[in-house]
Amino acid sequence: MPRYIRSARGSRNSSFKMRLVIAVGIALFSFISYMMKGDVNEITGEKQRVALTERQEIVLGLQALPTIIKRHHGEHPDQKSQDYVDRVGNRLLQSLNKSLQSQGRRNPYQFDFHLLNDDQVINAFALPGGQIFLTAALYQQLETEGQLAGVLGHEIGHVLSRHGAQQMAKQELTQGLVGAAGVAGGDVSSAQMAQMIGSMVNMKYGRSDELESDRWGIDLMIMAGYDPYAMTGVMDILKRSAGAGKQPEIFSTHPDPGNRIEQIKNYIQKSYPANLPSDLEP
């Protein structure tokens, strides 16, 4: 075999080994960094892997606030409707804070509720740190105060569970692994494939987060005196909206409403086996 052929093969093998060593190093560093992102949730007492401190979550949410409001055509001009959303949201928070105080815990977040002047996109969402958003398109379809409480309670649950900070930590891990795959594969397609796999993993965790927030919504509703079965009414509204030509943006991350209705009912029955108070508001 000609010497230059052997030399070329040796060079390629050496290059691959070097890329592999670098890739392993990147992946290991990313994994160790992720495992070290530990913090205790002041509200739940659980240890979580998060990318931000509570203070950083609050700052990040406030920094993103103007962009979010602009993207959804500003805040709704009807101050009466905005006041209504604030009143229901604050009623949930007052009950939460009272419960936490009795347990020796505290709520570190300052929540703000924003009714957005967007009558096309059916959605509700939360930023890390306590900024809660509800579009006019969804607000206009809610039929009872309890349904509004269910939507807001669900979004409050995302903040309390620090889902945003958790997802950011997972994304940092995923990006590190994607970079490692790209280095090892030596081409863009390897990194793209790894990115697709990482996205599916993160979506799975995101859907689990949604169900956890449903449970938070139920608990907060009961604390504040709302009938938790109003949450099933919200799911019915979303199902109807899906067939009305306006596909809810909320479906991009939230599980199918039909499945959530059953899980909501099961959670209520298992967590509150005794009869619910008779004076709960619908």
Side-chain angles (χ1 to χ4, degrees):
M1 181 180 296
R3 182 179 300 174
Y4 72 86
I5 295 179
R6 290 198 301 271
S7 177
R9 287 181 177 175
S11 178
R12 285 197 298 270
N13 289 338
S14 176
S15 176
F16 173 74
K17 290 179 181 178
M18 180 59 68
R19 291 200 308 270
L20 188 60
V21 169
I22 294 173
V24 170
I26 293 173
L28 185 60
F29 176 79
S30 299
F31 180 73
I32 292 175
S33 296
Y34 175 72
M35 295 301 293
M36 292 178 65
K37 295 180 186 298
D39 195 12
V40 175
N41 189 314
E42 289 191 47
I43 296 172
T44 65
E46 297 177 356
K47 187 172 182 178
Q48 297 175 290
R49 305 199 188 284
V50 292
L52 303 169
T53 65
E54 292 162 343
R55 179 60 187 168
Q56 288 172 329
E57 287 181 86
I58 295 171
V59 171
L60 177 64
L62 291 174
Q63 288 177 338
L65 180 60
T67 301
I68 295 296
I69 291 176
K70 182 178 180 180
R71 182 180 301 168
H72 291 275
H73 316 299
E75 298 203 59
H76 200 282
D78 183 359
Q79 189 60 46
K80 184 177 180 180
S81 295
Q82 178 63 66
D83 291 343
Y84 176 47
V85 172
D86 288 337
R87 179 174 62 79
V88 174
N90 287 323
R91 176 172 165 178
L92 295 171
L93 291 176
Q94 288 171 4
S95 299
L96 168 69
N97 292 335
K98 183 177 179 180
S99 175
L100 290 174
Q101 186 177 10
S102 68
Q103 302 171 49
R105 302 183 187 276
R106 72 177 187 92
N107 169 20
Y109 301 113
Q110 177 61 52
F111 285 85
D112 295 302
F113 301 94
H114 305 275
L115 179 59
L116 299 171
N117 191 29
D118 187 337
D119 60 1
Q120 296 298 314
V121 176
I122 299 172
N123 204 4
F125 53 95
L127 293 179
Q131 301 301 311
I132 307 293
F133 303 87
L134 172 68
T135 65
L138 177 56
Y139 172 77
Q140 291 165 1
Q141 297 195 48
L142 299 177
E143 300 163 346
T144 68
E145 185 170 318
Q147 289 177 357
L148 175 59
V151 172
L152 298 179
H154 173 97
E155 300 306 332
I156 291 172
H158 279 304
V159 177
L160 300 180
S161 297
R162 306 187 72 181
H163 289 156
Q166 281 186 309
Q167 284 298 98
M168 291 181 68
K170 292 172 187 174
Q171 287 169 3
E172 289 178 4
L173 172 61
T174 299
Q175 289 169 359
L177 298 179
V178 167
V183 170
D187 56 36
V188 177
S189 61
S190 298
Q192 289 176 335
M193 182 60 69
Q195 180 70 69
M196 291 174 61
I197 294 173
S199 296
M200 289 195 303
V201 171
N202 284 341
M203 178 60 74
K204 177 182 178 182
Y205 285 116
R207 290 175 183 271
S208 175
D209 290 345
E210 296 299 340
L211 296 175
E212 181 178 13
S213 289
D214 279 344
R215 295 192 288 271
W216 261 116
I218 291 167
D219 292 338
L220 290 172
M221 291 174 73
I222 293 174
M223 288 181 197
Y226 292 107
D227 184 349
Y229 284 102
M231 283 278 282
T232 64
V234 176
M235 298 302 111
D236 287 332
I237 289 172
L238 294 179
K239 287 176 66 177
R240 292 198 303 268
S241 299
K246 289 184 179 180
Q247 179 69 8
E249 185 173 305
I250 202 170
F251 284 178
S252 64
T253 55
H254 292 57
D256 176 74
N259 295 334
R260 289 170 71 187
I261 288 175
E262 292 306 313
Q263 298 205 41
I264 287 169
K265 290 180 178 178
N266 289 337
Y267 179 75
I268 295 173
Q269 292 165 3
K270 290 180 180 179
S271 300
Y272 302 92
N275 292 332
L276 295 170
S278 58
D279 58 347
L280 295 177
E281 296 181 29

